[in-house]
Amino acid sequence: MAHIFITGSSDGLGLRSAQTLAKRGHEVYLHARNSQRTQDARAACPGAKDVFVADLTSTEETKALAAQLNQAGPWDSVVHNAGLMNGVDHLRGKEGIPARFAVNTLAPYILTCLLDPPPKRYVFLSSIMHQGGDPSLRNLQHCTYSDSKLHNIMLAFWFARRLASKGVLSNALNPGWVPTKMGGWSAPDDIDAAIDNYVLLSEGTGEAEGVTGKYWFQSRLGTYKSAANDEGRQNQLIEALEKVSGISPP
């Protein structure tokens, strides 16, 4: 039985994966951004142990979430699933940071830096759309969705190197273009295959056992944009996120 936390798990793939993991006997903790979504999450996944509430567009709320997670830990797996895609170009969080950047890129960085002790496994949600991402990191805070999904792979790979000495595994997951509210109900990929991949990496079993610094699609190693391997760019991203958040890497 594993102790698992999934961000953005009040609906969509995060919720579906949490339901599956709970049915498999794991202690699963959900995350929602407000009280209404918390109620919805509890009703949809009664097998979950609890729901943490935090608006990830706010760096202060993200830091507070990390403190709560440290009190509830240690964790076996943390899945950075939360993400914003459309309709948020002009939305900013409480501290004035663009919402998509705050949720998709900055929040995973902050949580990964502040969790102590770190979990055994981190999973960073990416997307096939990362192929259109700009590896130059120009206009970082005004990133597109594609940019942010490339950032997620870079973060997974950087933390895989950084935390290797502590025995922590860190991987990126492309769930595919699946029928959800975000993906659209006519999306062609297999949602059950996506959930199986969440489960595989959350449990760290089978093909994923002992594997770190990889990009996964449908429970197999996938093909990704080679620029994500650039350690210089990864370092540049980490330095920029440290500057924005005021939080140093572990």
Side-chain angles (χ1 to χ4, degrees), residues 146-173:
S146 294
D147 294 340
S148 72
K149 295 295 101 179
L150 178 59
H151 300 161
N152 293 147
I153 303 175
M154 297 167 73
L155 287 171
F157 290 1
W158 191 90
F159 280 109
R161 291 189 288 114
R162 182 74 167 196
L163 299 174
S165 64
K166 297 182 179 181
V168 177
L169 307 180
S170 175
N171 289 282
L173 164 60

Side-chain angles (χ1 to χ4, degrees), residues 187-198:
D189 287 338
D190 184 351
I191 193 168
D192 290 328
I195 294 168
D196 288 345
N197 207 351
Y198 274 76

Side-chain angles (χ1 to χ4, degrees), residues 180-212:
T180 62
K181 182 174 67 176
M182 180 179 285
W185 303 115
S186 61
D189 287 338
D190 184 351
I191 193 168
D192 290 328
I195 294 168
D196 288 345
N197 207 351
Y198 274 76
V199 170
L200 180 77
L201 293 177
S202 296
E203 293 181 338
T205 55
E207 296 296 319
E209 186 173 358
V211 177
T212 191

Side-chain angles (χ1 to χ4, degrees), residues 5-15 17 31 56 78-84 103-104 108 123-126 145 149 152 173 175 182 198:
F5 173 65
I6 306 172
T7 66
S9 45
S10 63
D11 62 8
L13 277 172
L15 174 61
S17 300
H31 159 253
L56 300 183
V78 169
V79 183
H80 295 301
N81 171 78
L84 296 177
V103 173
N104 297 16
V123 183
F124 291 79
L125 261 291
S126 184
Y145 181 77
K149 295 295 101 179
N152 293 147
L173 164 60
M182 180 179 285
Y198 274 76

